[in-house]
Amino acid sequence: MASTPIQSEARTDLEPSFVIPLVLLFGAIPIFFLQMWVGLAIAVFGVFLMVQTAIIKLSFTATALEVYRGSKLIRSFPYTEWQNWRIFWEPAPILFYFKEVKSIHFLPIIFDPGTLKACLERHCPLQSLRAE
């Protein structure tokens, strides 16, 4: 059952997705019995991503991608500064990359990937970014 993003006229809030953290946590179990420290490291990373999924929110506004921790805005990325973006491994999206004029960002897909891609195509079409 697909969740519906919270959307207003000028803002779309992405719903969290716990798929990657859960895959890491469950995948760490058999690895733990083969290589205890590797399995433990993967499990700890899975727990870290689980917590981040619960507290970090992304919102697409008319002018920027905004990142919130709870209800506090912690970072804003204006679309006018974007040069490129990509979602890695389309069959099962795991990583979101975007490049600004002065920096590059990688984010694990801990939010709804379908809504993410739709918002990116609406607010930052690749054709317009490459034409500049």
Side-chain angles (χ1 to χ4, degrees), residues 83-94:
Q83 294 182 324
N84 196 6
W85 63 265
R86 184 167 179 199
I87 296 175
F88 288 101
W89 207 39
E90 287 287 331
I94 57 171

Side-chain angles (χ1 to χ4, degrees), residues 10-85:
R11 178 185 175 111
T12 303
D13 295 335
L14 300 183
E15 293 291 327
S17 172
F18 291 90
V19 172
I20 292 176
L22 289 173
V23 166
L24 288 172
L25 285 172
F26 286 118
I29 295 168
I31 294 171
F32 180 81
F33 292 108
L34 298 172
Q35 290 286 323
M36 182 178 75
W37 293 110
V38 174
L40 187 60
I42 292 170
V44 167
F45 185 59
V47 169
F48 169 76
L49 283 181
M50 184 78 69
V51 170
Q52 293 299 309
T53 302
I55 63 174
I56 300 294
K57 308 294 181 222
L58 291 186
S59 294
F60 282 87
T61 68
T63 59
L65 170 63
E66 297 178 344
V67 180
Y68 291 85
R69 182 177 297 123
S71 61
K72 180 183 177 193
L73 177 66
I74 57 173
R75 189 81 194 268
S76 181
F77 300 99
Y79 306 130
T80 56
E81 307 246 329
W82 289 39
Q83 294 182 324
N84 196 6
W85 63 265

Side-chain angles (χ1 to χ4, degrees), residues 78-121:
Y79 306 130
T80 56
E81 307 246 329
W82 289 39
Q83 294 182 324
N84 196 6
W85 63 265
R86 184 167 179 199
I87 296 175
F88 288 101
W89 207 39
E90 287 287 331
I94 57 171
L95 192 63
F96 165 48
Y97 149 86
F98 68 99
K99 181 180 179 189
E100 291 184 290
V101 173
K102 295 181 182 178
S103 59
I104 295 173
H105 307 278
F106 290 93
L107 300 169
I109 303 286
I110 56 174
F111 25 76
D112 178 44
T115 306
L116 170 66
K117 186 172 183 178
C119 287
L120 288 167
E121 290 171 345

